[in-house]
Amino acid sequence: MIANHEPIAKDGGATNMNLVATQAAEQKLLLSTYDRHPVLFTRGEGVHLVDDAGTRYLDLLSGIGVCGLGYNHPAINKAIAEQVATGLLHTSNLFFHSHTATLALKLTELTGMDRVFLCNSGTEAWEAALKLARAHAELLRSEGKHIGTRILALEHSFHGRTMGSVATTHKHKYREPFQPVMPGVTFVPFNDVDALRSAFSEDICAICIEPLQGEGGIHPVPQEFFAAARELCDSTGALLLADEIQSGMGRTGKWCAYQHTGIQPDVTTLAKPIAGGLPMGAMCCNEEAARAITPGMHGTTFGGGPLVCAVALAVIDEIERSSLLDHVSEVGAYFKQQLEEFASRHPVVAEVRGMGLMLGMDMHSAEIAGELQGRMMLEKHILLNRTSETVLRFLPPFLLTHAQVDETIAALESLLPEIEAKQTSEVEAAGEAVHG
């Protein structure tokens, strides 16, 4: 039965709707999954987005870490145009095309892994990693080893929104409405080596780690904890799974954040910036883990198609050609230093965390953090994100410059004192009202 909707535009074209009409149509037609900000973007250029009124925004979010090369990048445009010209956008994974093996070779070289599964998103890559861990444990049992099916994950973790991924995601608000989720997951306190050792046994088939937690508030996993997880997995044959969906593909100045530690996991997952804004994910693993999967056990319809593989190769080539990893390290260190100096001038800032261009500024007040984020967007036209209520998260394109960092710090500096004064005034007024 077709619902009796009012037409959303007289010409039937959604692209002609203004912000107000778009908001009204989405409120009526879309599933309510996001609280959107009142901005309608119409184009992008470099590290800037432009709204329907022609206002330019400095984008320090890059589509939650997706647009690593920013917008309208010539290398991406060229790859898309060349692939479109072939007329080959999809073939199914029952046949070959010329980009899959080339991309898999690049990804194995960059990650230190042996094999790759290409898919459509980060959560699909993580689902593949979880299934691989269970299949690998089953294989070991068939070979006479004692290993169970349980999985250890960390507190504050976020691994995605599908049923397996959300089962390994710690935040209650993501899991609780969908209970029962996949059973057999135990959460371990972040950076508590003793708790990790206590929770581990032959019943564990995998330990899940984000080397740099993103949604959880930009928390780097300490070397000692990562090393303990590696040691425990080695003792039984369990797999060490590293979720690099947000931190991978150059975001921290190395291809994967675990490469800062010198510890190699058995499995890693990549997504967000891997294909320059097109949907793509990848699960990479070593040969030992890969032997657990045989044809028919797992698959994907769209994953690894010709268009997205061509773009991913162009993204990797551009990062290498332009030495962007060095640039991310250098400008990221400058950005972090400037944020730390800003924090030293403002006691409301609790801590600055992260590495490369994956940074977080944790504030003591969720109210101040929220107002600062909103006014940065609406008054200074600088886009950033807030996570864990109090943490301002910075995930800019890899092309960010020192001047744009300075612009950001100046904007924060101009807004925060006023917001702090306003909050203090409101608290004092509330106190006076209570006491009389």
Side-chain angles (χ1 to χ4, degrees):
M1 178 177 175
I2 299 175
N4 183 25
H5 295 305
E6 294 292 329
I8 58 176
K10 288 183 179 180
D11 62 359
T15 55
N16 291 330
M17 289 194 292
N18 61 22
L19 175 61
V20 173
T22 300
Q23 286 177 303
E26 287 202 3
Q27 186 174 19
K28 183 176 183 180
L29 298 171
L30 293 190
L31 193 64
S32 180
T33 54
Y34 288 95
D35 289 326
R36 299 188 197 276
H37 300 290
V39 184
L40 179 66
F41 289 120
T42 56
R43 61 190 176 88
E45 187 69 42
V47 298
H48 291 92
L49 286 166
V50 182
D51 70 11
D52 58 337
T55 303
R56 286 165 57 87
Y57 292 73
L58 176 60
D59 184 8
L60 303 185
L61 184 57
S62 66
I64 315 182
V66 167
C67 301
L69 298 187
Y71 302 93
N72 199 27
H73 195 288
I76 294 176
N77 293 348
K78 179 173 181 287
I80 292 173
E82 289 178 350
Q83 191 60 41
V84 169
T86 69
L88 189 66
L89 301 183
H90 180 73
T91 61
S92 94
N93 284 305
L94 300 178
F95 305 101
F96 296 99
H97 65 79
S98 60
H99 302 315
T100 312
T102 307
L103 178 59
L105 176 61
K106 290 298 299 186
L107 291 177
T108 54
E109 290 174 347
L110 301 179
T111 61
M113 297 293 177
D114 299 311
R115 291 179 183 258
V116 177
F117 170 72
L118 298 171
C119 51
N120 304 290
S121 67
T123 196
E124 190 182 349
W126 191 247
E127 291 285 339
L130 296 174
K131 289 178 71 175
L132 180 63
R134 290 274 176 87
H136 180 253
E138 173 66 23
L139 176 66
L140 294 185
R141 285 192 294 275
S142 73
E143 295 172 346
K145 292 191 176 181
H146 297 285
I147 186 167
T149 60
R150 297 191 61 80
I151 292 171
L152 297 182
L154 300 189
E155 292 185 353
H156 313 303
S157 60
F158 180 87
H159 295 291
R161 297 177 185 275
T162 49
M163 287 301 267
S165 298
V166 84
T168 53
T169 291
H170 180 247
K171 286 187 176 179
H172 287 191
K173 70 175 183 178
Y174 296 129
R175 275 189 298 118
E176 295 303 322
F178 309 107
Q179 296 283 9
V181 295
M182 180 184 77
V185 178
T186 300
F187 292 99
V188 176
F190 184 83
N191 191 26
D192 188 334
V193 173
D194 291 338
L196 178 68
R197 293 188 188 283
S198 296
F200 191 83
S201 70
E202 288 185 343
D203 196 32
I204 302 300
C205 69
I207 299 177
C208 307
I209 287 179
E210 291 167 274
L212 177 52
Q213 291 186 334
E215 175 69 16
I218 314 295
H219 290 281
V221 170
Q223 170 96 11
E224 180 188 13
F225 189 91
F226 208 168
R230 179 71 274 173
E231 175 192 340
L232 290 168
C233 288
D234 288 343
S235 70
T236 65
L239 298 182
L240 180 57
L241 313 183
D243 179 344
E244 297 268 4
I245 292 165
Q246 189 170 126
S247 57
M249 295 305 297
R251 171 63 60 188
T252 68
K254 292 186 180 294
W255 289 106
C256 295
Y258 63 74
Q259 291 166 339
H260 292 280
T261 72
I263 297 168
Q264 182 74 10
D266 300 295
V267 179
T268 192
T269 51
L270 305 168
K272 293 191 180 288
I274 190 171
L278 297 187
M280 186 180 212
M283 187 275 286
C284 309
C285 64
N286 59 26
E287 199 67 51
E288 166 58 29
R291 69 191 184 94
I293 295 292
T294 56
M297 288 180 66
H298 193 58
T300 174
T301 295
F302 295 103
L307 177 64
V308 72
C309 285
V311 174
L313 284 167
V315 168
I316 293 169
D317 180 65
E318 180 62 22
I319 291 173
E320 292 179 328
R321 187 191 67 80
S322 300
S323 300
L324 278 180
L325 296 187
D326 293 339
H327 176 76
V328 167
S329 296
E330 197 275 329
V331 77
Y334 178 73
F335 198 172
K336 188 175 184 182
Q337 178 190 16
Q338 296 305 305
L339 287 173
E340 288 172 339
E341 291 180 8
F342 175 80
S344 71
R345 298 189 292 271
H346 299 281
V348 71
V349 180
E351 186 178 22
V352 174
R353 300 188 289 265
M355 64 182 82
L357 289 175
M358 185 171 174
L359 300 171
M361 186 166 73
D362 196 355
M363 311 191 73
H364 290 299
S365 165
E367 290 75 19
I368 291 178
E371 184 169 351
L372 188 55
Q373 177 208 0
R375 292 181 63 177
M376 284 287 281
M377 177 181 68
L378 296 176
E379 297 178 25
K380 301 299 181 181
H381 302 136
I382 297 176
L383 304 177
L384 49 114
N385 172 244
R386 185 165 61 113
T387 185
S388 298
E389 300 296 326
T390 60
V391 181
L392 297 182
R393 179 169 53 172
F394 304 92
L395 300 169
F398 300 168
L399 311 175
L400 192 74
T401 66
H402 287 70
Q404 288 156 348
V405 171
D406 294 341
E407 177 186 349
T408 302
I409 298 299
L412 290 168
E413 196 70 75
S414 72
L415 290 175
L416 185 56
E418 180 187 338
I419 295 171
E420 284 181 294
K422 176 187 168 189
Q423 292 281 337
T424 301
S425 175
E426 290 177 352
V427 169
E428 290 175 350
E432 290 174 1
V434 169
H435 297 292

